[in-house]
Amino acid sequence: MTLIRELDTGTPIRVADTTVTLTIDGQSVTVPKGTSIMAAAASMGTQVPKLCATDSLEPFGSCRLCIVQIEGRRGYPASCTTPAEEGLVVHTENSAIAKRRRGVMELYISDHPLNCLTCSANGDCELQDMAGKVGLREVRYGYDGANHLAAPTDESNPYFTFEASKCIACSRCVRACEETQGTFALTMEGRGFASKISAGGTDFMGSECVSCGACVQACPTATLNEKSVIALGTPEHSVVTTCAYCGVGCSFKAEMKGETVVRMVPYKDGKANAGHSCVKGRFAFGYATHKDRKTKPMIRAAITDPWQEVSWEEAIAHAASEFKRIQAQYGRDSVGGITSSRCTNEETFLVQKLIRGAFGNNNVDTCARVCHSPTGYGLSATLGTSAGTQDFASVDHSDMILVIGANPTDGHPVFASRMKRRLRAGAKLIVADPRRIDLVRSPHIEAQHHLPLLPGTNVALLNAMAHVVVTEGLIAEDYVRERCDLAEFENWARFIALEKNSPEASEALTGVPAAEVRSAARLFATGGNAAIYYGLGVTEHSQGTTTVMAMANLSMATGNIGKLGAGVNPLRGQNNVQGACDMGSFPHELTGYRHISDDAAREMFESFWGVPISADPGLRIPNMLDDAVEGTFKALYIQGEDIAQSDPDTQHVTAGLQAMECIVVQDLFLNETAKYAHVFLPGSSFLEKDGTFTNAERRINRVRKVMSPLGGLADWEATAALSNALGFPMNYSHPGEIMDEIASLTPSFAGVSYAKLDAEGSLQWPCNETAPLGTPMMHVDRFVRGKGRFMLTEFVPTEERTGALFPLILTTGRILSQYNVGAQTRRTENSRWHEEDVLEIHPFDAESRGVQDGDLVALESRSGDIALRARVSERMQPGVVYTTFHHAKTGANVITTDFSDWATNCPEYKVTAVQVRRTNRPSEWQARFFDEDVSLTRIAAPLDAAE
Ligand code: SF4
Ligand code: SF4
Ligand code: SF4
Ligand code: FES
């Protein structure tokens, strides 16, 4: 294995309808119009020396190393800033050019430390490479004059250093922060010799920097360098794999030394990220080898007993015998399982196969239940498929973007950077969110409309926007007539035109001024290609499904589905939540969203697997817990989920878990759910196995093993072992064989194989005979369901109400540096940015309660209470407070309710009536949490150690 080095063409190869042909060093080359001479030369294999250029950035033309000669033109133009033109005759090398380049390089080197042999970037430094390439053999100027060799080093960022003495002032970092990331944290201060890079006059940690790593990636020297490279040395080989955090699905090169990850470098050919990254995927991989990893299987008879380490064979045999005992005693349906959106498609497929084939029921569910299940239901009903309509690149063609219930800069940062690029290029923006999220106003971006609606009123707001479209004649009539069910449309149009759906009538519900809604609706309908991007602020409501349908209605009514720059686009949460849904993780669906009552689909599986499959939908997670409390549901196999922390109404969840007789938890860590478990199977991280993840664009990306599983088995191997012990054989030698089985059982995956994924890089389903290379955009000429279906979206307020006792509404969300329950990110330096969950509260609400910034406050709801620190913030609106749920000890879900979406049971995390008051101690639940953390996680000394 070698270190993968992608070609750097210096400046981007442009996309254009016309081409130009020129001659470079005697060779004819044709490139799209607008491409630079440097990139044209690179495309024919000639690398012109360069320092300030790199092809992820626009040309800058400062270093003068890339000079060329053009016949008929005077001087030595920079090839990075000179466009290729028809008929040009260019020379990239001759003695005059070489002499000038050596002169330029001599100046750089004369102000650069000459410790190449001991430099952390030795062998991976463009300055070093270029010095060799231009043939620099001597430096005539000494270090006696003014220089930068004593410039200080900034070590403040936990992941990278800024060693100013090595800076060549090429400005690639500044431009990367602006163009690639869109944060504008860096500037070039001063001019000429005095010019230096500044992080806003402070150190990196104190600046606006979000630690995305784009500047580190762009830096041609060791000035910006990963601390892991400094500690471990330059990597030796690399493997392309996929980030295991969010649904953007960024591709990375895991750069390795043996089985140690030295760094994760965003992969330029990754179709979801095109070489960009965020702080999590780029830097927060240390959890995979954290000392908290549990790598030995363990069992115990009761949760109050200490864990006993055992062999894999013993743990699997014990789990299998418990499941058999419980089914014999309480019936076939008394057991079930939960698949993981953190695990691969292949692993998820095996867990649902085990439940359907070995347990003999459909009691399988997934964490998508608690996040995007309304997406599946709502988009399936209206458009005919349970997934987003576009690829990420589509946003490059959007003229108008509506972001609702999503905070992309924190939740989906790499896609947010792409969206921000489009916004800086002139696309218009509407943000519908109770909070003033960063996107509302950030460098060079300002939303045309921020609609700060009250949590729980998405449907009323979208109905009001649709009302404007219908009553002001803004319907895309030809589109609707041609592509949608007309009777359904007319029915919907009559409903939506009712006065109760007008912006004026809705204002009292949403809190958004009617004039603002009218103006936003007009902009959406008339602003060109209009795209909707949404997140859990849409789905995690009692009307989550209705909101998804309302967005589909609005997009169809304005002709914004089935074309570039448009669509209804769920920003999926976890890395493989799309895949977990695709793989048949729901109790009513087989892979590819075929209903379990579909005889033909079921028969296909029955004949392949050789077992009968129940035609009855199984239990959803909340039903499993309810039945456990009732005493009829007794055992659960949970792979890679922590429902005790992530699911709402913690006390109810833990009551359900405590009532069961056997819980098998398969995870990297002894998580909150494991406190109630009887068998612990060590999980494997994404670095330890092969497989695939499917991102929010339906893109199937390969996950590749770079190190051996620390616990000995990959998750898919453990599931197969359990299934074999239960008497339902699973014999695979590699996850590629599991994908072959998925492909043969799932029409939308029929054309997917590891060989094709390796050849193409990734594939977006549907991938089959009609679309052998996948489907970037859905519903192009017709909707998957045939005619687009407008659904009636009556606004029904949540039953959760504010009142005298609980006058505020709590809504929840994520922040950039932590991820979900924090199991991974809390075990990395990312905690430096977010050590604890805090409560954001508007100054008015804070002042009226005597609460000051940093005070400990009690947060109480009808479900329970917790204590956390207050952060007084103008981002909030009066009456609404906000927190995250990244730290188990906070117990954010102790206070959320068990209200849920009418169609899918997706919990209503986003609306909880609460009261806030000052306090000086943790809540009762929190005090108990700390006790249980000790009492329910004890591990007995190994038997041989005791002897
Ligand atoms: S790490 Fe990212 S945000 Fe921070 S300065 Fe570099 S490019 Fe800007
Ligand atoms: S820090 Fe690196 S990228 Fe930035 S100006 Fe200096 S050498 Fe160039
Ligand atoms: S945006 Fe998401 S997938 Fe990409 S690096 Fe960040 S966490 Fe990973
Ligand atoms: S690479 Fe062209 S001027 Fe620097």
Side-chain angles (χ1 to χ4, degrees):
M1 277 188 291
T2 53
L3 209 54
I4 300 164
R5 288 255 184 262
E6 299 112 302
L7 173 69
D8 182 353
T9 56
T11 67
I13 304 258
R14 303 296 181 191
V15 179
D17 295 336
T18 49
T19 57
V20 292
T21 300
L22 66 164
T23 304
I24 300 178
D25 296 337
Q27 201 176 322
S28 174
V29 59
T30 300
V31 289
K33 196 168 179 197
T35 300
S36 71
I37 289 176
M38 175 182 278
S43 74
M44 54 176 241
T46 298
Q47 289 264 285
V48 181
K50 64 181 184 60
L51 278 174
C52 70
T54 187
D55 60 10
S56 58
L57 304 172
E58 290 300 313
F60 192 56
S62 70
C63 75
R64 301 287 302 155
L65 201 64
C66 69
I67 52 170
V68 291
Q69 279 190 304
I70 301 173
E71 288 185 12
R73 291 194 188 176
R74 291 173 50 191
Y76 297 86
S79 62
C80 64
T81 49
T82 308
E85 287 175 26
E86 188 67 33
L88 288 188
V89 179
V90 179
H91 301 281
T92 69
E93 292 288 350
N94 60 34
S95 57
I97 292 172
K99 187 170 169 222
R100 280 169 172 77
R101 284 184 187 149
R102 275 197 295 275
V104 169
M105 187 52 85
E106 201 177 359
L107 284 172
Y108 277 117
I109 297 296
S110 68
D111 191 9
H112 196 85
L114 291 180
N115 59 350
C116 288
L117 280 183
T118 52
C119 175
S120 56
N122 187 23
D124 183 25
C125 168
E126 291 182 42
L127 187 68
Q128 192 182 40
D129 292 348
M130 290 304 136
K133 194 169 166 92
V134 304
L136 186 69
R137 296 288 173 263
E138 59 166 341
V139 177
R140 286 165 294 169
Y141 323 110
Y143 286 157
D144 307 337
N147 60 48
H148 298 86
L149 300 180
T153 296
D154 177 353
E155 300 264 9
S156 62
N157 185 288
Y159 296 120
F160 58 83
T161 57
F162 174 72
E163 206 174 335
S165 63
K166 292 179 175 168
C167 180
I168 59 170
C170 67
S171 192
R172 274 162 63 160
C173 53
V174 178
R175 290 178 285 137
C177 194
E178 293 175 5
E179 295 174 27
T180 309
Q181 165 57 22
T183 292
F184 295 78
L186 301 178
T187 49
M188 179 74 81
E189 278 181 0
R191 297 176 72 88
F193 178 79
S195 55
K196 63 169 192 177
I197 297 300
S198 167
T202 174
D203 61 18
F204 271 78
M205 207 51 187
S207 74
E208 297 292 310
C209 168
V210 293
S211 205
C212 71
C215 57
V216 183
Q217 182 69 3
C219 182
T221 65
T223 314
L224 284 159
N225 204 3
E226 293 93 344
K227 287 183 175 173
S228 57
V229 173
I230 295 170
L232 298 168
T234 44
E236 291 161 348
H237 67 272
S238 51
V239 178
V240 175
T241 189
T242 305
C243 177
Y245 279 113
C246 87
V248 176
C250 296
S251 296
F252 281 88
K253 292 180 292 181
E255 294 196 343
M256 312 289 299
K257 260 193 164 175
E259 290 217 336
T260 302
V261 179
V262 177
R263 63 179 171 187
M264 297 293 283
V265 178
Y267 187 46
K268 264 164 63 170
D269 289 340
K271 300 234 174 57
N273 58 322
H276 191 32
S277 60
C278 83
V279 61
K280 294 186 286 287
R282 178 75 153 97
F283 296 117
F285 53 85
Y287 71 88
T289 48
H290 193 276
K291 62 179 174 43
D292 288 355
R293 279 283 299 268
K294 292 288 170 277
T295 56
K296 296 264 183 8
M298 299 185 289
I299 60 175
R300 59 184 177 182
I303 62 168
T304 45
D305 292 343
W307 284 106
Q308 191 70 56
E309 289 179 354
V310 294
S311 66
W312 271 103
E313 291 73 21
E314 198 176 335
I316 294 285
H318 178 71
S321 85
E322 278 296 274
F323 282 122
K324 282 184 189 163
R325 174 187 69 79
I326 288 167
Q327 284 194 298
Q329 192 173 343
Y330 300 102
R332 191 186 61 182
D333 295 336
S334 60
V335 305
I338 298 177
T339 73
S340 173
S341 297
R342 318 297 287 151
C343 288
T344 62
N345 284 317
E346 293 75 3
E347 288 165 341
T348 309
F349 178 83
L350 285 201
V351 172
Q352 62 88 35
K353 176 174 176 176
L354 173 139
I355 289 157
R356 297 199 156 102
F359 289 174
N361 63 41
N362 288 308
N363 291 337
V364 55
D365 209 355
T366 181
C367 72
R369 168 76 47 222
V370 300
C371 68
H372 266 287
S373 48
T375 289
Y377 195 105
L379 293 185
S380 187
T382 49
L383 313 180
T385 199
S386 299
T389 61
Q390 317 290 118
D391 60 5
F392 291 145
S394 167
V395 79
D396 301 345
H397 304 268
S398 296
D399 304 306
M400 163 68 245
I401 298 169
L402 167 60
V403 175
I404 175 167
N407 185 6
T409 50
D410 281 51
H412 301 84
V414 166
F415 175 68
S417 290
R418 185 166 204 152
M419 181 191 279
K420 289 202 291 187
R421 249 195 321 275
R422 181 65 195 151
L423 293 168
R424 289 198 302 276
K428 304 281 190 290
L429 174 67
I430 300 169
V431 174
D433 200 286
R435 290 198 311 154
R436 197 174 169 79
I437 58 172
D438 287 347
L439 214 48
V440 173
R441 189 166 192 202
S442 57
H444 305 283
I445 290 170
E446 179 142 24
Q448 275 62 35
H449 298 281
H450 174 216
L451 311 177
L453 74 175
L454 275 173
T457 62
N458 286 327
V459 172
L461 180 77
L462 288 164
N463 281 352
M465 288 179 72
H467 177 92
V468 176
V469 171
V470 168
T471 57
E472 296 191 7
L474 302 177
I475 293 286
E477 287 180 7
D478 291 347
Y479 178 95
V480 170
R481 195 175 307 112
E482 196 180 311
R483 302 204 35 181
C484 302
D485 183 313
L486 269 186
E488 307 257 22
F489 165 73
E490 281 160 12
N491 197 23
W492 171 79
R494 271 193 301 277
F495 158 76
I496 216 75
L498 295 175
E499 179 53 27
K500 67 177 180 181
N501 291 320
S502 71
E504 290 70 21
S506 306
E507 185 173 328
L509 303 167
T510 63
V512 184
E516 193 77 13
V517 176
R518 282 197 179 273
S519 177
R522 289 172 195 142
L523 183 61
F524 185 87
T526 61
N529 296 335
I532 300 179
Y533 290 89
Y534 71 96
L536 304 182
V538 156
T539 53
E540 290 176 343
H541 287 274
S542 59
Q543 280 208 291
T545 295
T546 318
T547 311
V548 173
M549 291 171 173
M551 292 186 299
N553 290 343
L554 185 62
S555 292
M556 286 190 289
T558 53
N560 275 307
I561 291 181
K563 65 178 183 181
L564 273 176
V568 181
N569 303 288
L571 293 171
R572 294 282 188 161
Q574 312 226 44
N575 53 323
N576 198 34
V577 68
Q578 179 69 57
C581 298
D582 302 341
M583 290 299 103
S585 293
F586 287 128
H588 66 288
E589 278 172 348
L590 293 161
T591 61
Y593 304 98
R594 286 157 302 159
H595 202 275
I596 198 77
S597 62
D598 175 343
D599 291 341
R602 227 176 40 258
E603 274 162 21
M604 195 187 227
F605 283 78
E606 287 174 335
S607 78
F608 204 104
W609 292 349
V611 286
I613 294 174
S614 166
D616 299 326
L619 296 173
R620 298 170 173 183
I621 294 171
N623 309 127
M624 293 181 199
L625 293 167
D626 290 347
D627 287 5
V629 172
E630 295 284 312
T632 55
F633 189 82
K634 292 290 185 183
L636 191 56
Y637 169 39
I638 309 175
Q639 185 179 76
E641 285 297 326
D642 190 4
I643 58 173
Q645 189 183 342
S646 64
D647 283 30
D649 199 353
T650 307
Q651 289 95 322
H652 181 63
V653 174
T654 52
L657 292 172
Q658 270 174 306
M660 291 187 222
E661 293 186 11
C662 178
I663 293 177
V664 178
V665 163
Q666 185 174 6
D667 209 280
L668 302 181
F669 306 104
L670 269 183
N671 60 20
E672 295 310 303
T673 308
K675 288 178 181 169
Y676 306 94
H678 308 84
V679 179
F680 180 84
L681 304 177
S684 53
S685 79
F686 76 115
L687 297 167
E688 297 158 36
K689 57 200 178 189
D690 281 292
T692 54
F693 294 151
T694 307
N695 78 352
E697 320 162 274
R698 296 168 277 104
R699 185 181 300 285
I700 306 158
N701 273 314
R702 276 283 270 120
V703 176
R704 293 185 178 87
K705 179 175 167 178
V706 299
M707 59 171 73
S708 309
L710 298 193
L713 294 183
D715 294 333
W716 63 271
E717 292 173 302
T719 305
L722 180 58
S723 191
N724 288 329
L726 284 163
F728 179 54
M730 286 188 190
N731 297 305
Y732 306 97
S733 60
H734 189 272
E737 296 168 8
I738 306 174
M739 179 53 83
D740 292 342
E741 182 172 325
I742 294 166
S744 62
L745 288 169
T746 315
S748 52
F749 274 64
V752 180
S753 68
Y754 277 23
K756 201 192 274 184
L757 285 167
D758 288 345
E760 298 300 322
S762 62
L763 295 164
Q764 287 172 272
W765 66 257
C767 176
N768 47 30
E769 252 182 29
T770 41
L773 294 182
T775 311
M777 188 170 28
M778 305 282 280
H779 318 292
V780 174
D781 297 317
R782 63 189 287 277
F783 287 99
V784 170
R785 71 176 301 281
K787 294 283 186 187
R789 182 177 183 198
F790 284 81
M791 302 290 288
L792 294 190
T793 51
E794 188 77 53
F795 174 62
V796 180
T798 170
E799 288 175 35
E800 176 73 349
R801 298 286 156 80
T802 53
L805 283 179
F806 303 105
L808 304 171
I809 299 176
L810 170 74
T811 190
T812 60
R814 294 177 181 159
I815 54 138
L816 171 68
S817 55
Q818 295 287 358
Y819 197 74
N820 217 28
V821 295
Q824 296 148 294
T825 45
R826 275 189 280 116
R827 292 180 170 94
T828 70
E829 293 287 333
N830 276 28
S831 285
R832 295 260 302 268
W833 285 277
H834 187 82
E835 285 171 343
E836 58 182 335
D837 297 311
V838 296
L839 185 79
E840 287 187 29
I841 182 168
H842 187 269
F844 174 82
D845 293 324
E847 200 183 322
S848 59
R849 288 165 175 77
V851 170
Q852 297 197 343
D853 198 61
D855 281 353
L856 193 66
V857 292
L859 180 65
E860 300 164 337
S861 76
R862 293 181 181 92
S863 299
D865 66 298
I866 58 171
L868 70 177
R869 298 211 173 272
R871 177 174 297 152
V872 180
S873 167
E874 298 267 1
R875 280 154 67 103
M876 303 310 301
Q877 54 177 294
V880 181
V881 291
Y882 169 89
T883 192
T884 49
F885 50 91
H886 300 305
H887 293 266
K889 64 185 181 198
T890 313
N893 283 320
V894 169
I895 45 179
T896 50
T897 68
D898 58 4
F899 289 122
S900 64
D901 175 49
W902 60 268
T904 64
N905 272 152
C906 182
E908 188 163 53
Y909 289 107
K910 303 297 182 188
V911 190
T912 307
V914 293
Q915 178 57 296
V916 174
R917 60 177 174 78
R918 289 182 62 192
T919 186
N920 58 8
R921 57 175 179 271
S923 74
E924 254 179 53
W925 181 90
Q926 285 168 322
R928 209 167 55 240
F929 171 87
F930 290 116
D931 289 345
E932 287 179 350
D933 216 27
V934 176
S935 64
L936 300 183
T937 59
R938 287 173 299 143
I939 300 175
L943 289 177
D944 50 357
E947 282 163 6

